[in-house]
Amino acid sequence: FGIHALILVATATLNSETAAAQRGKEVIREDAYPPLWDSAPENLLDFPVEGNKIVINAWNYRERLGAYKNLLNSSAKYFTAFGSQNFGNILWGLPLQHGWQFRTGRLADPSSVSSCGYEAGDLLCVSVRSWWACMNYYLAIIPFLGAVEAGLFGELPYEIEILPPEEQGADFCYSVADCRSRIPKLMDKWKAYFEVTASPTTRSSFKLDDALGHMWKAHVASIAYALPKFQDSLKHLSDPEANFGEDWANGVDFIGATYFSTDFQTTNNFQAFLPQRMLVEGDVIPFISDFSAQQNKVLLSLSGLHKTNQLTG
């Protein structure tokens, strides 16, 4: 079943790539970027500076997106051989995934206790009650702080501090020193990725496969660390959505093992086959009427892959 799932994902990607090629490779749709990409902070000094510290609110969509944007901008020079406009940068998978979560309502408060993340309230609010938002913290802020530690941004005039959420503060870390003391192995993996891509000693022998290997090791480690930590957050989701979340987290292990390239175009092609809304009670895969056949197939494949993984231990 694992091979079947990967073949489906690969087929979906190839079909989309063919369509994209027919439309013309130079045409980049505006909605191919994460929502509000142009307005996200693109320089670290665009964030507020308070008490000799750059302060980033990771519980605001635009600011978390800004952390990603700084990663993309500062690593662009290492990916010039892999396409124009930084589209070959394999870090694109992270902000594009975050953009998909925002666009589909997965960062809003699923418990409906607050208006966080809703148009009627604070649309840009990222809810700490959102399982997706908490999982994503470990694929946004931890890579970002790993890059700071690896020297991707050079010598900074200020320390960087991440603001805590209103609740569950103990579930996260907030600075390089804090994260280094609490999750050293995870920080090591992200730091290693940025050292492979950005270190002067490795730059001359930079290979995309090496970078993908380090990136996926760190990516999978982030999910493995965060998954048990936020198990309780799944209770706020419908059963179909909670199951999909766990299926997706499991599936990333298999996608990562293929060294799937998370550049701009490939990630966009792949994400076209992810659900465009949250799953609700009554959604039964692969028979969700407002999802495409390919979306239903990918959901079914991820579910089967997870069940097989559980049955085989």
Side-chain angles (χ1 to χ4, degrees), residues 100 106 132 240-248 274-275 279 299 302:
W100 166 76
R106 287 178 164 86
W132 292 96
E241 179 69 16
N243 291 336
F244 165 59
E246 291 192 290
D247 294 345
W248 175 237
L274 293 181
L279 276 67
L299 287 176
L302 289 169

Side-chain angles (χ1 to χ4, degrees), residues 21-308:
Q22 288 169 347
R23 285 194 301 270
K25 290 180 183 175
E26 297 307 313
V27 179
I28 302 294
R29 302 185 330 272
E30 195 167 319
D31 66 353
Y33 289 90
L36 306 177
W37 182 254
D38 284 345
S39 67
E42 56 186 48
N43 187 294
L44 288 179
L45 294 177
D46 292 339
F47 291 102
V49 176
E50 298 171 12
N52 231 25
K53 289 181 179 177
I54 295 169
V55 179
I56 299 174
N57 180 7
W59 305 98
N60 172 279
Y61 169 73
R62 189 185 273 117
E63 292 201 27
R64 196 182 287 199
L65 193 64
Y68 283 132
K69 196 171 187 179
N70 275 268
L71 284 179
L72 265 293
N73 288 347
S74 295
S75 59
K77 57 192 170 190
Y78 308 116
F79 288 89
T80 51
F82 306 105
S84 63
Q85 295 177 265
N86 201 23
F87 289 150
N89 194 323
I90 59 174
L91 287 176
W92 271 112
L94 297 175
L96 285 169
Q97 181 75 178
H98 187 48
W100 166 76
Q101 291 166 352
F102 175 75
R103 192 182 283 120
T104 57
R106 287 178 164 86
L107 301 178
D109 182 354
S111 70
S112 300
V113 168
S114 72
S115 60
C116 178
Y118 294 98
E119 282 191 38
D122 182 357
L123 182 61
L124 298 185
C125 176
V126 173
S127 175
V128 73
R129 289 172 177 256
S130 158
W131 177 85
W132 292 96
C134 291
M135 293 292 292
N136 179 262
Y137 190 95
Y138 283 85
L139 288 166
I141 299 308
I142 308 309
F144 175 75
L145 293 174
V148 172
E149 190 176 30
L152 182 71
F153 305 109
E155 287 294 320
L156 293 172
Y158 307 107
E159 284 182 46
I160 290 177
E161 185 172 306
I162 312 299
L163 290 179
E166 290 181 0
E167 51 186 308
Q168 293 177 228
D171 288 335
F172 309 95
C173 57
Y174 305 102
S175 66
V176 170
D178 185 24
C179 295
R180 167 59 53 197
S181 69
R182 289 164 66 174
I183 47 171
K185 290 181 181 175
L186 191 50
M187 285 290 282
D188 282 343
K189 284 185 168 62
W190 281 109
K191 186 182 176 191
Y193 166 73
F194 288 105
E195 285 174 345
V196 161
T197 53
S199 168
T201 56
T202 59
R203 203 178 303 157
S204 59
S205 57
F206 176 81
K207 290 187 178 67
L208 194 58
D209 255 17
D210 291 344
L212 281 165
H214 278 84
M215 189 275 294
W216 277 116
K217 272 181 195 164
H219 191 127
V220 167
S222 279
I223 289 177
Y225 179 82
L227 199 55
K229 187 179 277 289
F230 299 113
Q231 200 67 25
D232 282 355
S233 299
L234 290 166
K235 71 185 178 198
H236 297 307
L237 302 174
S238 70
D239 286 346
E241 179 69 16
N243 291 336
F244 165 59
E246 291 192 290
D247 294 345
W248 175 237
N250 173 78
V252 169
D253 273 5
F254 292 86
I255 295 167
T258 68
Y259 282 25
F260 184 83
S261 183
T262 42
D263 59 74
F264 184 84
Q265 196 61 56
T266 310
T267 303
N268 265 302
N269 292 341
F270 174 70
Q271 287 200 159
F273 301 100
L274 293 181
Q276 74 274 16
R277 61 164 174 81
M278 292 181 74
L279 276 67
V280 296
E281 300 298 348
D283 281 337
V284 179
I285 55 174
F287 307 110
I288 303 175
S289 60
D290 60 330
F291 287 5
S292 69
Q294 203 61 261
Q295 284 172 322
N296 272 295
K297 282 179 187 173
V298 167
L299 287 176
L300 182 65
S301 298
L302 289 169
S303 172
L305 194 58
H306 190 195
K307 283 174 185 159
T308 304

